[in-house]
């Protein structure tokens, strides 16, 4: 295939755009990972990543995809025969739950229509009825990447507290990390799982367990076969144990730069930027839906994610046609539907290193695909542009005039 001019817009919900600063930070020779040069960088990252999670607990780094960090939670916290409660949110909660089954861990769930957030009243009811405290933990996906729905973590904490239930609260924040606030200590979350290739703007390969004191105490009482994933074994400062083998040096170089960039922006500004860009996407999709052929997958507006927007095709045609036209013809890569949403939805990722013209360009490319594939819609570009214009800071000129 001949090279295509320009860049393809990467609007899948992970991996996301890698800023040049991060790529450049990784462009350096390998070094002795036991020497002081690397050790200082690694120690800096272990410390500096904690405020990103909002924790004073321990953050464990795995040279693994998010699935590895999922598995780490199981082997550190649960024995075969234990019971956990995992509310259904979509494809990601199901896959994470299947993993529990393969470890012999029993799962209770709260069924879900894949269009709404976790029902925290139902959660509270189940916990209240569990008077013998058989349920060891509540495991929940914060932003479900298959559906574009974000659940309310504070309401989950409140449900546990209202029921007086001692279960641990474990949150998969892989899609929401650095796009949506989740200050784990302040919100009473015991474990947060994250990975680096979404809001953290890095190439895939590094994932995290952020672990609070209650979960760290719990792991010591759990007898499972574990070594590579073991939290306990990774404690202590010896680098080789911290990484359990050769450190993924270049990912650590990239991580250090990612943390620097996030701190330059400020986390509040990062969250506000994601909310605003999501608002622009939602403004456009809202217009698209007026044609009668498309819908938001997330039925309740306040549950729509700041990380991605999932659009449902309802006119009987395949959402894959739109996705393929967007990618192959208009150079905008969006995600497809997963499991029973395959062919029914496409997913617009808007996490990580993005700005206004990138979002507008992506929306325009997708809209061109709607035109080309003959999907009934109203144009959303005017609404997205107006949304960005009215929510942007005003321009102050060099001679101090404010342009409104
Ligand atoms: C991407 C994602 C995962 C899986 O992460 P991998 O790095 O692909 O293993 C898990 N949960 C959620 C919510 C995700 O968005």
């Amino acid at each position: 295939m001949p090279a295509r001019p320009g860049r393809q817009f990467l609007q899948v919900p992970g991996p996301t755009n890698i800023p040049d600063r991060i790529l450049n930070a990784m462009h350096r020779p390998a070094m002795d990972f036991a020497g002081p040069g690397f050790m200082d960088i690694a120690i800096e990252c272990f410390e500096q990543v904690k405020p990103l999670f909002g924790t004073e607990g321990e953050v464990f780094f795995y040279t693994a995809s998010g699935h590895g960090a999922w598995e780490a939670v199981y082997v550190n916290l649960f024995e075969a025969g234990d019971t956990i409660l995992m509310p259904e949110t979509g494809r990601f909660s199901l896959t994470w739950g299947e993993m529990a089954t393969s470890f012999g861990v029993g799962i209770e769930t709260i069924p879900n229509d894949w269009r709404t957030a976790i029902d925290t009243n139902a959660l509270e009811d189940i916990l209240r009825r569990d008077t013998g405290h058989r349920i060891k933990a509540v495991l929940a996906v914060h932003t479900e990447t298959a559906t574009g729905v974000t659940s309310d973590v504070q309401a989950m904490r409140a449900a546990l507290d209202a029921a007086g239930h001692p279960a641990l609260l474990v949150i998969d924040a892989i899609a929401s990390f650095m796009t949506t606030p989740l200050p784990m200590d302040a919100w009473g979350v015991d474990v947060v799982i994250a990975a680096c290739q979404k809001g953290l703007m890095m190439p895939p390969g590094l994932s995290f367990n952020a672990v609070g004191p209650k979960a760290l105490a719990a792991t010591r009482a759990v007898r499972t076969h574990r070594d590579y994933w073991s939290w306990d074994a990774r404690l202590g400062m010896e680098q080789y144990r911290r990484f359990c083998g050769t450190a993924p040096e270049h990912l650590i170089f990239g991580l250090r730069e990612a943390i620097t960039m996030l701190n330059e922006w400020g986390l509040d500004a990062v969250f506000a930027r994601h909310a605003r860009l999501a608002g622009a996407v939602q403004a456009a999709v809202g217009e698209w839906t007026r044609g009668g052929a498309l819908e938001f997958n997330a039925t309740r507006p306040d549950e729509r994610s700041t990380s991605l927007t999932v659009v449902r095709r309802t006119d009987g045609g395949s959402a894959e046609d739109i996705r393929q036209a967007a990618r192959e013809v208009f150079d905008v890569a969006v995600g497809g539907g997963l499991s029973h949403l395959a062919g029914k939805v496409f997913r617009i990722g808007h996490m990580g290193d993005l700005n206004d013209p990138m979002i507008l360009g992506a929306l325009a490319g997708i809209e061109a695909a709607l035109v080309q594939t003959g999907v009934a819609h109203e144009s959303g570009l005017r609404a997205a542009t107006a949304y960005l214009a009215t929510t942007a800071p005003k321009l102050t000129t060099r001679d101090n005039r404010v342009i409104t």
Side-chain angles (χ1 to χ4, degrees):
M1 265 217 295
R4 294 177 75 94
R7 285 201 180 202
Q8 186 178 79
F9 280 40
L10 184 62
Q11 304 296 146
V12 297
T16 64
N17 296 299
I18 307 170
D20 290 346
R21 274 179 64 174
I22 292 179
L23 288 172
N24 290 336
M26 297 176 73
H27 191 104
R28 54 184 285 185
M31 60 199 289
D32 174 5
F33 69 85
F38 180 73
M39 254 195 239
D40 288 349
I41 297 173
I43 290 167
E44 187 185 325
C45 285
F46 279 115
E47 281 311 308
Q48 300 278 311
V49 86
K50 290 182 183 179
L52 304 189
F53 285 95
T55 190
E56 291 177 2
E58 292 292 337
V59 182
F60 299 97
F61 291 24
Y62 298 107
T63 313
S65 71
H67 281 64
W70 270 353
E71 179 158 342
V73 165
Y74 284 126
V75 298
N76 279 288
L77 288 179
F78 310 118
E79 297 169 5
D82 283 346
T83 299
I84 59 173
L85 174 57
M86 186 184 289
E88 182 180 355
T89 52
R91 173 66 211 223
F92 286 88
S93 76
L94 288 190
T95 311
W96 194 18
E98 281 160 13
M99 207 183 241
T101 309
S102 64
F103 286 110
V105 174
I107 289 222
E108 292 196 11
T109 190
I110 303 171
N112 177 276
D113 63 359
W114 291 31
R115 304 191 73 168
T116 51
I118 292 167
D119 179 348
T120 50
N121 291 324
L123 179 68
E124 187 179 325
D125 280 350
I126 292 172
L127 293 169
R128 273 187 199 284
R129 274 186 270 120
D130 182 35
T131 48
H133 297 161
R134 219 166 38 87
I135 296 167
K136 279 190 83 176
V138 174
L139 283 74
V141 175
H142 187 200
T143 290
E144 169 58 69
T145 322
T147 68
V149 173
T150 297
S151 289
D152 185 342
V153 173
Q154 286 174 289
M156 291 181 221
R157 177 75 261 166
L160 279 155
D161 293 344
H165 199 292
L168 295 165
L169 180 58
V170 178
I171 301 292
D172 169 355
I174 295 176
S176 58
F177 189 60
M178 293 301 104
T179 75
T180 310
L182 181 62
M184 92 175 235
D185 290 358
W187 288 7
V189 179
D190 297 298
V191 180
V192 169
I193 298 167
C196 66
Q197 77 274 22
K198 298 186 184 180
L200 206 47
M201 312 173 290
M202 287 176 51
L206 204 57
S207 57
F208 309 94
N209 283 177
V211 182
K214 191 172 154 191
L216 259 194
T219 193
R220 300 198 168 120
V222 173
R223 283 178 305 278
T224 49
H225 299 289
R226 59 182 190 266
D227 184 76
Y228 178 82
W229 304 112
S230 173
W231 294 337
D232 239 354
R234 284 170 179 255
L235 286 174
M237 284 321 289
E238 201 207 323
Q239 289 298 314
Y240 201 69
R241 288 307 301 169
R242 274 260 161 173
F243 289 103
C244 201
T246 306
E249 296 179 334
H250 291 80
L251 290 170
I252 297 297
F253 302 147
L255 175 63
R256 182 166 69 157
E257 191 63 22
I259 295 171
T260 302
M261 292 176 73
L262 289 162
N263 288 335
E264 284 173 13
W265 288 322
L267 294 192
D268 288 343
V270 169
F271 297 142
R273 171 165 54 85
H274 280 90
R276 179 168 167 273
L277 294 179
V281 174
Q282 290 163 11
V285 174
E287 294 301 311
W288 293 347
T289 64
R290 287 165 176 270
L294 299 169
E295 277 178 2
F296 282 100
N297 183 61
T299 44
R300 299 186 194 129
D302 61 332
E303 295 174 354
R304 288 176 193 150
S305 155
T306 52
S307 299
L308 80 160
T309 299
V310 179
V311 183
R312 231 177 149 96
R313 182 165 187 182
T314 56
D315 64 356
S318 171
E320 274 306 291
D321 293 350
I322 303 169
R323 180 189 178 210
Q324 276 187 23
R327 187 183 58 223
E328 305 300 329
V329 184
F330 299 104
D331 278 314
V332 179
V334 298
L338 303 175
S339 298
H340 71 245
L341 293 179
K344 298 203 169 77
V345 304
F346 63 90
R347 301 177 298 142
I348 309 169
H350 34 83
M351 49 179 105
D353 190 37
L354 284 173
N355 62 17
D356 294 14
M358 292 161 87
I359 280 290
L360 289 173
L363 290 170
I366 298 165
E367 191 165 305
L370 295 177
V371 174
Q372 196 188 48
T373 52
V375 177
H377 69 284
E378 301 278 326
S379 174
L381 295 176
R382 181 191 288 270
T385 310
Y387 182 91
L388 290 174
T390 50
T391 54
K394 303 282 181 237
L395 169 68
T396 305
T397 62
R398 281 164 202 241
D399 55 349
N400 276 323
R401 283 176 304 118
V402 178
I403 311 269
T404 56

